[in-house]
Amino acid sequence: MTTDAVGTGEAGPRVEETGLTTAQVAERVERGQVNRLAERTSRSLGEIFRANVLTRFNAILGALFALVMVTGSYFDGLFGLILVVNSTIGIAQEYLAKRKLDRLALLNAPTTRVVRDGEVRVVPTADVVLGDLIELRTGDEVPADGRLLSSAGLELNEANLTGESDPVAHAPGDEIRSGTSVVAGSGRYHASAVGADAYVNRIAADARRFTRTRSEIQESINTLLKYITWVIVVALPLTIWSQWRSVGDQGWQAVTIRSAAGIVGLVPEGLVLLTSVAFLMSAVQLTRRQVLVQQLPAVEGLARVDVVCLDKTGTLTAGEIAYEGLEALPGHDADEVRRGLGALADDPNANGTLAAVGAAVPSPGWTRTGTVPFSSARKWSAASFDGQGGWVLGAPEVLLPADDPLRAHVAELAASGRRVLLVGRSDGLPAAPVSGGEAGSAQAGSPAAGNGAEGDTAGRDVAGRGEAGRDVAGMPSPPAGLVPAGLVTLTEQIRPDARETLAFFAAQDVDIKVISGDNPVTVGAVARAVGLDVGEPVDARTLPEDPESLRDAVERTTVFGRVTPEQKRAFVHALQAGGHVVAMTGDGVNDALALKDADIGVAMGNGAQATKAVAELVLLDGRFSHLPDVLAEGRRVIGNVERVANLFVAKNAMSLVAILFAALFAVPFPFLPRHLTLVSTLTIGIPAFFLALGPNHRRYVPGFLDRILSFAVPAGAIAGLAVIVSYLLAGSHYGVPKDELVSRCGIESGTSPTDVACWQPGTGATITLLVVFFWILAVLSRPFRFWKGILLATMVTAATLAFLLPAAREFFTFDAPAPLVWESLAVGAVGAAAVEALHRFLAARAPRP
């Protein structure tokens, strides 16, 4: 039977009762009628290859490499090998990280309840097929389009599609669409459009209003790359012209090699690679701490956060609510109240509170005839029972009149940290009988009704509430005729690591805002227990709606109770309007809107699927104490990438200054490509790789790009000036006379000149450049650690060996008489001193984190 056979009148079990068979599912998978979405957690292998190989800078270096190879000076093409190594490392690192992240994302992929072969099964959302009978419960995301067969007070948040955040009630026969989420109630429907045919995937690509996490690093690096690209465009013709003037008589090979050296120095060949590797390695590192990074820039984003908004339940407390007791009010029989409470808790779509009550209070077996499911906006739930009337359970502050004396007793219980709920009776709930058509199929005819307690109550509950349940679900105020019957107390275990985690954030000048739907007195008591300076907790129902007034209230208050989902969102907006970078943690569907709008959304691993879907970070084991690890990773990424970017930009600035002065003085560019390959490898490439992945605890300070430009450009200019001075001095005292350059230093044969005197000016310039850049590296490596000292010493030793070992001297064309060495070192020392003075000047002006 196919989806066309979805019937309502044929004899025997119907599709809406039994769902598809295994054979029908296989048939639809074979036809491609499956809910595979275009969204992926990472790039494909082909995309990884293209992103690491087919770049504009690789194209520039590749063209220069080809030209150098044509000259026959193969040693000067060494930068081509570095290019291949960089790309290979980038591909390998991203592919390995992709495998780990994809595997973890698969393990935590969203799931959907479907009825197949008459049984309720949980399958990956991507495996839902056309015609599947889908069961929805609170917190689920709607995975595909369809028309409701049954509804038990089903309310959907359709903000992703309509922009309206108010929950929308849906009755049997209503169309529902993917991209929405269940905020209350339950229901069943057939998937009539899946995958690319679903509404959310047919509309514009931003229909879900997906917003990528802002990354200051990526924005700054992209800006730098634009600047550098334009510099290369301008410098290329200038370099060719100046080198033609200065070494053109030595042959076109000499012009090509010197010009290539100048342009190679302008290309930041490893900057993008090391930035990407830093992000990826952070994400992989966090997976070991049970943190799933759904957007890589979120690692950096948390380091910029200065306000964390968190819920009490699941964050400060373990999230496992335990039933403590029931206090019957005077005039009410305790056993009767207990039976009413047990009947309310006997709900297959129970939230955490009802589940905790149900685990301790047995069900009396009453027949449910109508239901008002719990809503975080309404803050109460209710049900009517055949022959027993209506019962209500919810927040006392909402259900009790403002002048009710019982409020004082509730406040007393809440002040001890308990959660307090009011259970009462009400004649305002309609006792809706189970309608014959729907209920009959759910209770009598449906095989799902015979699959244990859950299946039985689910079939009866979903189908049997009818129109009355939906009407009551829209009630914005407590039901009429409510008579308080008892107070229910529940307890939550405070997380043992909550105090330490909050103390960490306080030490890092990160403000905490506790935003909870619970009684503000209860929330305040828990907050005090974990060491927060609570002040006076505020009942969110008393807050103004005016954005300016709300901003002031949110700024000066730490603890808020009775906060609605829309208020949580408004709090985030108010803090952002005040210039704060906001992180929001949560686990319930009532947190989804706030998580979506926060700069960084953090969902608990045991939270609702709708919440995890919009979060940038998911704490897989639900431990709030992992956030300091994420913050530390973010700081490491920001600090280390800034160091790396400084090194590359300083090299670019040095090359540009050398190009300009070579043109001004009509002298050859001071270096051969092989010289810059040596300098780049030992002072930038290898050190940058380790610095990008090493620990870094420096606090975040705004102005990433400004700091790079303010240090790297003048430091690179200093290095360039030192190089030109050293080259001119060496040329005037060493090397060969100008009128003998062609005869003794020409490169017509395509090989390096064999007269070692021709090597001396370049040798002196290289020594000076190494001294200045090693000092730049030392400045950027501060504060020093043992491993950094070892790294720096190793690089200096390798550079020294390049001048001492005969084979290395010949390879790099170095010839360094002792006077030339001391002269070059002296010029380099002056340049290093200027870099140190620049660093200290900028450090004195920099704002303190």
Side-chain angles (χ1 to χ4, degrees):
M1 181 170 56
T2 66
T3 53
D4 295 334
V6 175
T8 55
E10 67 252 14
R14 296 177 297 175
V15 173
E16 64 262 33
E17 300 165 357
T18 63
L20 299 177
T21 65
T22 301
Q24 289 172 327
V25 171
E27 176 189 347
R28 283 157 174 76
V29 171
E30 182 70 24
R31 294 203 300 254
Q33 296 172 326
V34 67
N35 203 37
R36 304 287 182 191
L37 300 179
E39 300 166 1
R40 293 167 296 166
T41 59
S42 61
R43 296 189 288 194
S44 67
L45 184 58
E47 290 170 332
I48 291 173
F49 179 84
R50 288 192 293 272
N52 285 277
V53 175
L54 304 181
T55 68
R56 61 176 175 268
F57 292 124
N58 280 1
I60 293 171
L61 290 176
L64 292 174
F65 174 74
L67 288 173
V68 171
M69 290 296 97
V70 171
T71 69
S73 184
Y74 303 121
F75 291 166
D76 285 313
L78 188 61
F79 66 89
L81 298 179
I82 303 300
L83 173 67
V84 172
V85 171
N86 274 345
S87 296
T88 302
I89 291 174
I91 292 170
Q93 291 278 23
E94 185 168 354
Y95 177 67
L96 293 174
K98 163 190 163 62
R99 289 182 57 188
K100 292 180 181 179
L101 294 175
D102 283 358
R103 190 180 304 120
L104 189 60
L106 180 63
L107 292 174
N108 294 275
T111 57
T112 299
R113 295 179 192 84
V114 296
V115 180
R116 292 179 180 173
D117 296 321
E119 298 180 352
V120 178
R121 302 175 183 173
V122 177
V123 301
T125 298
D127 291 346
V128 171
V129 300
L130 188 69
D132 253 329
L133 178 56
I134 297 171
E135 181 172 296
L136 297 175
R137 298 184 187 177
T138 301
D140 290 347
E141 279 207 319
V142 177
D145 300 348
R147 189 179 297 275
L148 273 176
L149 296 173
S150 58
S151 170
L154 184 71
E155 298 179 26
L156 299 182
N157 179 344
E158 300 180 345
N160 283 334
L161 303 182
T162 67
E164 297 295 331
S165 59
D166 291 337
V168 179
H170 286 274
D174 286 354
E175 286 280 353
I176 60 174
R177 289 171 169 169
S178 56
T180 60
S181 57
V182 182
V183 295
S186 56
R188 286 186 176 184
Y189 75 104
H190 281 292
S192 61
V194 296
D197 295 329
Y199 177 80
V200 74
N201 296 317
R202 293 201 315 270
I203 59 179
D206 62 346
R208 290 174 62 101
R209 296 201 174 94
F210 173 79
T211 53
R212 188 166 296 281
T213 302
R214 175 180 174 269
S215 169
E216 185 182 4
I217 287 179
Q218 291 182 337
E219 291 174 1
S220 299
I221 295 299
N222 289 337
T223 301
L224 276 176
L225 296 181
K226 290 179 184 177
Y227 293 164
I228 293 169
T229 300
W230 283 110
V231 168
I232 292 175
V233 169
V234 174
L236 180 60
L238 176 62
T239 303
I240 296 173
W241 172 76
S242 69
Q243 296 310 297
W244 187 265
R245 286 177 59 207
S246 59
V247 297
D249 53 355
Q250 298 181 33
W252 66 270
Q253 296 97 333
V255 175
T256 299
I257 291 171
R258 295 285 176 175
S259 299
I263 300 304
V264 165
L266 292 174
V267 178
E269 63 272 10
L271 179 56
V272 176
L273 164 69
L274 289 174
T275 302
S276 300
V277 167
F279 274 123
L280 285 167
M281 292 300 98
S282 291
V284 172
Q285 182 69 21
L286 288 172
T287 63
R288 301 190 181 105
R289 299 186 175 104
Q290 293 298 299
V291 179
L292 174 61
V293 180
Q294 304 201 113
Q295 289 189 45
L296 291 181
V299 178
E300 169 208 340
L302 193 61
R304 294 188 286 111
V305 163
D306 60 355
V307 177
V308 175
C309 299
L310 50 91
D311 195 0
K312 170 180 67 67
T313 305
T315 304
L316 300 182
T317 62
E320 297 178 359
I321 305 169
Y323 171 82
E324 184 180 67
L326 171 65
E327 177 185 340
L329 297 178
H332 295 273
D333 180 67
D335 291 337
E336 180 69 11
V337 176
R338 176 177 288 274
R339 284 192 292 271
L341 181 62
L344 284 169
D346 185 16
D347 187 338
N349 198 36
N351 58 17
T353 301
L354 284 179
V357 172
V361 181
S363 169
W366 295 352
T367 302
R368 187 183 293 249
T369 58
T371 293
V372 182
F374 176 80
S375 162
S376 56
R378 194 168 37 238
K379 301 197 182 302
W380 57 269
S381 61
S384 54
F385 302 94
D386 187 18
Q388 304 295 332
W391 289 79
V392 180
L393 181 68
E397 302 84 47
V398 175
L399 297 175
L400 291 174
D403 57 353
D404 195 308
L406 186 57
R407 281 177 171 264
H409 184 44
V410 171
E412 181 183 341
L413 292 172
S416 64
R418 296 181 176 90
R419 288 186 63 183
V420 185
L421 298 176
L422 177 75
V423 60
R425 308 194 65 160
S426 173
D427 296 329
L429 293 172
V434 178
S435 58
E438 252 183 45
S441 67
Q443 288 181 289
S446 172
N451 294 325
E454 183 179 355
D456 183 45
T457 52
R460 174 164 45 82
D461 202 38
V462 169
R465 290 160 188 170
E467 194 68 26
R470 185 173 72 90
D471 290 341
V472 176
M475 295 176 62
S477 58
L482 175 67
V483 178
L487 294 176
V488 181
T489 55
L490 303 103
T491 59
E492 296 180 83
Q493 181 182 2
I494 294 176
R495 288 188 179 274
D497 51 12
R499 176 182 287 271
E500 180 181 353
T501 304
L502 295 179
F504 170 85
F505 280 115
Q508 304 301 315
D509 297 325
V510 177
D511 289 338
I512 298 294
K513 304 291 180 183
V514 183
I515 301 174
S516 175
D518 273 355
N519 185 315
V521 177
T522 302
V523 182
V526 172
R528 289 188 190 93
V530 295
L532 279 180
D533 182 8
V534 172
E536 186 65 29
V538 170
D539 190 321
R541 294 171 299 170
T542 66
L543 292 174
E545 295 185 3
D546 172 64
E548 286 294 329
S549 301
L550 181 62
R551 185 192 309 174
D552 293 338
V554 175
E555 287 276 5
R556 65 174 181 264
T557 306
T558 300
V559 173
F560 300 87
R562 296 307 177 202
V563 185
T564 65
E566 188 55 41
Q567 281 182 311
K568 290 185 179 184
R569 191 184 197 185
F571 284 12
V572 169
H573 292 170
L575 289 166
Q576 290 170 330
H580 296 288
V581 181
V582 183
M584 176 76 193
T585 71
D587 58 356
V589 70
N590 59 314
D591 300 317
L593 289 174
L595 262 69
K596 185 184 178 86
D597 289 355
D599 296 282
I600 300 295
V602 183
M604 301 300 168
N606 57 353
Q609 289 182 17
T611 307
K612 291 188 286 186
V614 301
E616 285 81 19
L617 301 169
V618 180
L619 308 181
L620 299 177
D621 57 4
R623 292 176 58 189
F624 176 60
S625 57
H626 289 313
L627 283 187
D629 294 331
V630 182
L631 186 141
E633 281 295 318
R635 287 182 173 175
R636 187 180 67 79
V637 168
I638 291 177
N640 291 345
V641 171
E642 184 172 329
R643 286 173 171 168
V644 169
N646 270 302
L647 288 170
F648 282 102
V649 175
K651 184 194 75 168
N652 302 149
M654 179 279 300
S655 294
L656 180 60
V657 169
I659 288 171
L660 294 175
F661 273 86
L664 180 64
F665 289 100
V667 297
F669 187 76
F671 306 109
L672 297 175
R674 69 189 78 178
H675 298 156
L676 284 184
T677 299
L678 174 69
V679 175
S680 296
T681 301
L682 298 182
T683 67
I684 301 173
I686 295 175
F689 185 82
F690 287 98
L691 290 176
L693 302 179
N696 190 329
H697 303 292
R698 193 189 76 178
R699 293 188 185 183
Y700 166 76
V701 179
F704 179 88
L705 181 58
D706 290 342
R707 285 195 302 277
I708 290 174
L709 295 178
S710 63
F711 174 78
V713 172
I718 291 170
L721 290 173
V723 161
I724 290 296
V725 170
S726 180
Y727 187 71
L728 293 177
L729 285 174
S732 63
H733 298 96
Y734 303 93
V736 298
K738 191 171 183 179
D739 56 358
E740 299 180 19
L741 283 175
V742 175
S743 60
R744 297 174 61 181
C745 303
I747 319 180
E748 291 90 344
S749 63
T751 62
S752 302
T754 56
D755 191 335
V756 295
C758 299
W759 302 351
Q760 291 171 353
T763 301
T766 304
I767 292 172
T768 297
L769 183 60
L770 283 167
V771 171
V772 178
F773 259 83
F774 273 130
W775 198 262
I776 291 174
L777 176 61
V779 166
L780 294 174
S781 298
R782 298 172 187 171
F784 272 111
R785 298 290 184 268
F786 179 74
W787 68 271
K788 292 179 186 177
I790 294 295
L791 174 64
L792 188 59
T794 301
M795 297 300 100
V796 171
T797 301
T800 304
L801 291 175
F803 293 90
L804 295 179
L805 297 178
R809 285 203 310 268
E810 183 175 352
F811 180 89
F812 288 108
T813 63
F814 287 152
D815 184 65
L820 173 63
V821 173
W822 290 112
E823 177 184 279
S824 302
L825 288 175
V827 176
V830 173
V835 168
E836 179 67 25
L838 171 68
H839 169 69
R840 296 193 178 193
F841 172 74
L842 294 176
R845 293 181 55 194
R848 299 299 175 187

